[in-house]
Amino acid sequence: VRREKLDETVFRAVEKRLLGRGRLEELLKEVLELADDKRQRMEQELTQANAERTRRRTAIDRLLGLIEEGIMKPSDPEFAQRLSENREAVAAITSRIDVLESQLVRGSRRITPAVLKKFSRQLSAKLHDEDSTLRSAYLRMLVYEVRVSKDRVTITGSKSVLERGLAKGLPRLEGSVPIFDQKWCRLQDSNL
């Protein structure tokens, strides 16, 4: 089989299987559900942490109220212990809240059908790029193996590449240093 013909066959098959209507959604359905599930768990943990922090701050206010009313003395060891425990708990919970909020804002980019559609358009654009080298590089990223037998061509690839691309964006393959050109550095250095 001529290479050009095989390359074109692989390209068309990958395009049809990955970028066909609803195909990416079907392949990455678990990722969408997992992302939503993870986000919901984090939001639930954040709600619980906020409630616990409020409860601990209320406990501190009540302890201070007991001092103001003269029911307890500041020198009472039980007062000092409970105040210290509550303040430590508030500090730990506040730290956890900060982590959760930052993860929700930046860390777990919400994967929605719109994000999936945008990813699909970007991937399609890369696979249809005028530069055949760039197009081939993206195709190699998606395709793990191509087997040619008498009556069929079998193409395999990993969903994890798609999952990573969806979560973090497509890698940039352009702008690499041309190692084939001996005069690529314009300044005097060890290449001379």
Side-chain angles (χ1 to χ4, degrees):
V1 178
R2 291 184 52 89
R3 180 180 177 186
E4 296 82 20
K5 187 175 182 182
L6 181 62
D7 284 352
E8 187 63 26
T9 301
V10 170
F11 172 74
R12 294 290 170 220
V14 167
E15 184 178 41
K16 181 180 177 185
R17 290 289 187 166
L18 288 182
L19 303 175
R21 183 175 290 264
R23 185 66 181 145
L24 260 181
E25 289 90 342
E26 183 181 322
L27 282 171
L28 298 172
K29 182 179 181 182
E30 296 154 10
V31 176
L32 290 168
E33 290 170 357
L34 181 66
D36 284 343
D37 186 46
K38 182 180 177 184
R39 185 171 191 84
Q40 287 173 353
R41 281 195 315 267
M42 288 174 69
E43 287 172 347
Q44 184 178 11
E45 185 181 349
L46 180 62
T47 301
Q48 291 171 349
N50 277 321
E52 179 64 14
R53 182 172 63 178
T54 300
R55 190 182 73 73
R56 292 290 185 151
R57 284 180 174 167
T58 303
I60 291 171
D61 289 343
R62 287 184 182 154
L63 284 170
L64 294 175
L66 293 174
I67 296 295
E68 286 176 355
E69 293 174 16
I71 297 173
M72 290 184 93
K73 294 183 180 177
S75 59
D76 189 341
E78 187 179 338
F79 169 78
Q81 179 187 357
R82 290 178 69 189
L83 184 63
S84 175
E85 287 172 1
N86 282 314
R87 284 185 172 164
E88 288 172 11
V90 166
I93 293 167
T94 300
S95 175
R96 181 64 186 151
I97 287 171
D98 291 344
V99 168
L100 287 169
E101 286 175 342
S102 70
Q103 286 176 343
L104 284 168
V105 168
R106 65 160 174 79
S108 61
R109 178 177 145 191
R110 181 123 187 178
I111 300 173
T112 62
V115 170
L116 193 60
K117 194 173 280 188
K118 180 180 177 187
F119 174 73
S120 178
R121 280 194 312 269
Q122 289 174 340
L123 186 57
S124 179
K126 297 296 184 184
L127 289 175
H128 287 94
D129 196 277
E130 290 178 14
D131 182 2
S132 64
T133 307
L134 184 64
R135 187 173 54 237
S136 294
Y138 274 99
L139 198 54
R140 278 192 303 274
M141 180 183 72
L142 297 170
V143 175
Y144 174 72
E145 181 180 47
V146 177
R147 286 189 184 175
V148 180
S149 66
K150 245 180 169 178
D151 57 344
R152 89 174 49 195
V153 175
T154 307
I155 304 166
T156 57
S158 174
K159 276 200 295 189
S160 64
V161 172
L162 293 172
E163 292 170 2
R164 250 191 328 274
L166 184 60
K168 297 181 179 178
L170 286 172
R172 294 189 57 193
L173 300 175
E174 56 247 346
S176 59
V177 176
I179 60 173
F180 58 85
D181 188 356
Q182 295 291 324
K183 298 178 183 177
W184 67 270
C185 186
R186 63 181 181 83
L187 301 175
Q188 289 186 354
D189 65 353
S190 62
N191 285 336
L192 293 177

